[in-house]
Amino acid sequence: MNFRFDISKKFQCLIFSITMLCVIISCQDATSNNNQFDKNFVHTVYFWLNNPESKEDRKLFEESLNKFLETSKYAKTNFIGIPAGTDREVVDNSYTYALVVTFSSKEEQNLYQKEEAHLLFIKEASSLWNKVQIYDAIGLD
């Protein structure tokens, strides 16, 4: 049996590992705030800023993102993070920000995509990034 991974399998493993780490951290944060982490629908977003070294761009991005999350009608729990700087072959530290948001259902996540707060965030902050990668997952029963 050959256990050799090709590059795409390594990348899939990496993304899964990062997503699960973010989910665990978000769950711990939600518990400490007496919020219930909802595993029904997890929306994980990675942002690569155009100018990741710019303090001004980071400030604008964080302000817009926090305003959006504070006013969203549908996002139940959330986590905003930056790369942990872990040095392992399967870890991708190339993104600037990670966002994990949970929803009660796929339907609520669909409503979130169209809500005014989300659209305003995209309008305000999209000029700051050059890449966004999203992974959506639903919990196991």
Side-chain angles (χ1 to χ4, degrees):
M1 211 174 191
N2 186 354
F3 289 101
R4 195 180 83 139
F5 283 102
D6 65 0
I7 300 256
S8 65
K9 292 223 186 258
K10 283 184 179 180
F11 185 73
Q12 289 171 351
C13 243
L14 163 72
I15 296 305
F16 177 77
S17 297
I18 291 170
T19 301
M20 290 302 99
L21 176 61
C22 289
V23 168
I24 290 166
I25 291 169
S26 181
C27 185
Q28 289 171 342
D29 185 54
T31 302
S32 68
N33 291 329
N34 293 325
N35 292 327
Q36 185 104 22
F37 180 79
D38 196 325
K39 66 177 184 173
N40 288 313
F41 195 101
V42 178
H43 180 66
T44 307
V45 186
Y46 295 93
F47 298 92
W48 283 260
L49 295 189
N50 293 319
N51 302 302
E53 303 304 320
S54 168
K55 290 181 183 182
E56 182 63 26
D57 284 7
R58 284 179 170 270
K59 181 182 178 201
L60 291 170
F61 180 83
E62 290 175 21
E63 287 174 352
S64 183
L65 183 58
N66 281 308
K67 179 176 72 172
F68 154 53
L69 292 171
E70 289 169 3
T71 58
S72 175
K73 298 177 203 171
Y74 304 103
K76 287 186 74 176
T77 57
N78 65 71
F79 165 83
I80 303 169
I82 59 173
T86 47
D87 187 21
R88 294 190 314 276
E89 185 179 326
V90 296
V91 177
D92 176 2
N93 287 306
S94 68
Y95 62 94
T96 314
Y97 288 96
L99 169 68
V100 179
V101 184
T102 64
F103 300 93
S104 297
S105 66
K106 183 177 179 181
E107 292 74 25
E108 284 200 6
Q109 196 274 339
N110 287 338
L111 292 170
Y112 152 93
Q113 290 297 327
K114 299 173 191 170
E115 78 172 316
E116 186 177 323
H118 184 242
L119 297 176
L120 179 59
F121 165 69
I122 293 169
K123 182 179 178 182
E124 288 179 351
S126 63
S127 65
L128 299 171
W129 67 68
N130 61 46
K131 180 180 175 183
V132 175
Q133 183 67 53
I134 299 171
Y135 297 92
D136 290 334
I138 55 174
L140 300 175
D141 290 335

